[in-house]
Structure formats: structure tokens, C-alpha cells
């Protein structure tokens, strides 16, 4: 898949910027401004940052990209359109973030390649697919297929297995340094994602429970278990480099 020349040129320009100059460009919201960074460019910056292990760059670019997606969803999946519109928006953002956590860095044609060429079109298809799944879920169904025991691997598992291990293993000189770096990265997450990670993977709360009296991450955050899982997906994309650091 070939990126348009204008996007290629902006990507080359953005990669060459130092962090201070890049942050100035990232806050420009007017799409007609000559310095505005396109969403295609932001996708490339996040993927590039993951390849080189630049967590600071991920922390700068990914929240801006997700913020644009969230603004789009508030318009395209508004409250009142679906019974659980807010949860569907969380689901879309969570699954989109998960694409970065499972990105194969160009080893083969990847879904994110499409986003680097035609972001709005790619995200529209992505959004519509999930909304249709939700509509189908809400329809009365007969003879629903039974779930199998096998599930696709969740990219969160590698990340958070190491988060849990870091907080639960006996301290060593090496693990103390790693844990300090990990804690800084977790504290830098948006508040909702940070709370979900700490509650589930540092303090050991369940995401949710069928027991209404059990205190869980969902009850602590006054939201659904689905929302907690979506927040964890977004956090996993930002913490993905730690799955390779232990």
C-alpha cells in the first residue's frame, strides 16, 4: 500500500522534528493550518516510536490521535443512538489502540498500513464494523453459536503479565530499576487507564464480577467491566514496550 506523496513528505518532516517542536505541531487542531499534522502522520509516528522503543514519543502522539478518534465517535456514535453508546465508543477506542499493541512493524501487510494512507476511511470502516456487531448483539437471536474454548491471543496478556510480575516478584537491583521506569510510564497514562491498570494488575482486583457485593475494578471506577477492559486495551498500546523488557 503506497502512501500519497503529501503524507510521505509530512511524515519525513515530522520524524526530523525534535520533541519540543513536535509538541507544538501536535496541539494545532485547525486542519487548514499549514503546520497541522495529519492523522496518517500520527499513526506512522506511533508505529515508528514502537519500533525504536521511544515511549516519550508514543506518549506525545498516541493521546492526540486517540483524542481525534474520540471526537469523531462522539459525533458518529452519539448518546441515544445505541442503548450503550458510551461503552461502544470505549470498545472502538480500545480495539483501535490494540492494533498498535499487536502491530507487526511491517513484517507483512498490516491493517495499520491502511491508516497511514487513508485514515478517515480506515477508521470509518473500523467504526462501522463494531457498531454493526453491537446492533446484531442487541437483536433477539435464536440458536446462538456456543463459544469455543479457544480464543485469539489477547495482546494485553504479554504486557500485563509483566506488569503483574514486576509488582509481585521479590525486589532485586535490576527489578527495582525496571519497576521504577514502569511506574513512571503507568503514572503518565490518562487517569482512567492508569486507575484500571493499577487496580487490576498491581492491586489484583477482578475486572468485574457476577457477585454484586464484590468490590472490583468496575465498581471502584463506577463503570462496566467492558469499559475497564477497553481502558486496559488502550493502556496496553502505550505500555507495549515493557513486554519485551523483562
Amino acid at each position: 500500500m503506497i502512501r500519497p506523496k503529501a503524507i510521505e513528505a509530512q511524515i519525513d518532516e515530522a520524524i526530523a522534528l525534535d520533541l519540543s517542536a513536535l509538541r507544538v505541531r501536535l496541539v494545532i487542531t485547525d486542519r487548514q493550518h499549514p503546520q497541522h499534522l495529519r492523522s496518517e502522520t500520527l499513526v506512522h509516528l506511533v508505529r515508528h516510536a514502537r519500533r525504536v522503543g521511544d515511549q516519550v514519543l508514543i506518549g506525545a502522539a498516541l493521546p492526540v490521535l486517540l483524542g481525534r478518534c474520540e471526537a469523531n465517535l462522539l459525533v458518529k456514535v452519539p448518546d441515544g443512538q445505541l442503548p450503550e453508546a458510551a461503552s461502544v465508543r470505549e470498545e472502538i477506542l480500545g480495539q483501535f489502540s490494540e492494533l498498535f499493541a499487536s502491530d507487526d512493524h511491517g513484517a507483512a501487510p498490516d491493517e495499520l498500513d491502511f491508516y497511514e494512507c487513508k485514515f478517515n476511511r480506515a477508521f470509518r470502516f473500523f467504526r462501522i464494523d463494531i457498531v454493526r456487531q453491537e446492533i446484531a448483539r442487541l437483536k433477539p437471536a435464536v440458536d446462538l453459536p456456543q463459544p469455543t474454548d479457544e480464543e485469539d491471543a489477547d495482546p494485553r496478556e504479554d504486557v500485563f503479565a509483566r506488569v503483574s510480575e514486576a509488582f509481585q516478584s521479590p525486589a532485586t537491583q535490576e527489578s527495582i530499576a525496571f519497576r521504577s521506569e514502569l511506574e513512571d510510564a503507568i503514572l503518565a497514562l490518562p487517569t482512567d487507564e492508569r486507575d484500571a491498570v493499577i487496580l487490576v494488575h498491581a492491586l489484583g482486583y477482578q475486572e468485574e464480577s457476577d457477585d454484586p457485593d464484590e468490590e472490583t475494578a468496575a465498581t471502584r471506577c463506577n463503570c462496566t467491566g467492558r469499559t475497564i477492559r477497553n481502558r486496559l486495551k488502550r493502556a496496553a498500546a502505550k505500555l507495549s514496550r515493557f513486554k519485551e523488557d523483562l
Side-chain angles (χ1 to χ4, degrees), residues 47 50-51 98-106 110 112-113:
R47 299 179 82 189
R50 287 201 65 233
R51 284 194 291 271
E98 201 169 61
L99 294 179
F100 292 97
S102 57
D103 185 21
D104 65 2
H105 306 311
D110 187 271
L112 284 172
D113 294 344

Side-chain angles (χ1 to χ4, degrees), residues 64-86:
V64 174
L65 181 62
L66 293 178
R68 292 182 186 180
C69 294
E70 187 172 14
N72 172 274
L73 294 174
L74 286 170
V75 175
K76 300 299 183 180
V77 191
D79 292 332
Q81 183 184 76
L82 294 169
E84 297 183 17

